[in-house]
Amino acid sequence: ETAVIKPDEAPEKLLLCSAPAKRIYEAFAEQTELSDVLSARSGISGGAFIAAVTELELNGLVTAVPVGRYCKK
């Protein structure tokens, strides 16, 4: 079961993340974004993007949703 992160807890969790993960998190303009859009906005691509977005998922800050999108919690 996935833990629900309250909005006021996100910044604290984000402090624990790497710089690339923070850049991706801050690249969200909408609640749900395509991975290509997040990659372009953050300037992070390939394996570095996958590693950073996985870090965000493990910290409960984003969730992968169908068709190559991520949802910010």
Side-chain angles (χ1 to χ4, degrees):
E1 183 174 298
T2 304
V4 176
I5 305 297
K6 296 175 187 157
D8 59 341
E9 293 176 353
E12 182 179 334
K13 289 263 188 189
L14 195 57
L15 292 174
L16 303 173
C17 293
S18 66
K22 289 175 187 174
R23 283 177 38 202
I24 291 169
Y25 187 83
E26 292 165 357
F28 277 87
E30 302 290 331
Q31 188 70 22
T32 303
E33 295 280 7
L34 288 166
S35 58
D36 290 347
V37 171
L38 292 172
S39 178
R41 282 190 195 140
S42 66
I44 300 167
S45 60
F49 179 85
I50 297 300
V53 83
T54 299
E55 181 181 353
L56 291 170
E57 286 183 279
L58 291 172
N59 279 295
L61 295 168
V62 302
T63 302
V65 293
V67 194
R69 295 178 298 150
Y70 289 92
C71 182
K72 185 177 180 180
K73 291 187 175 182

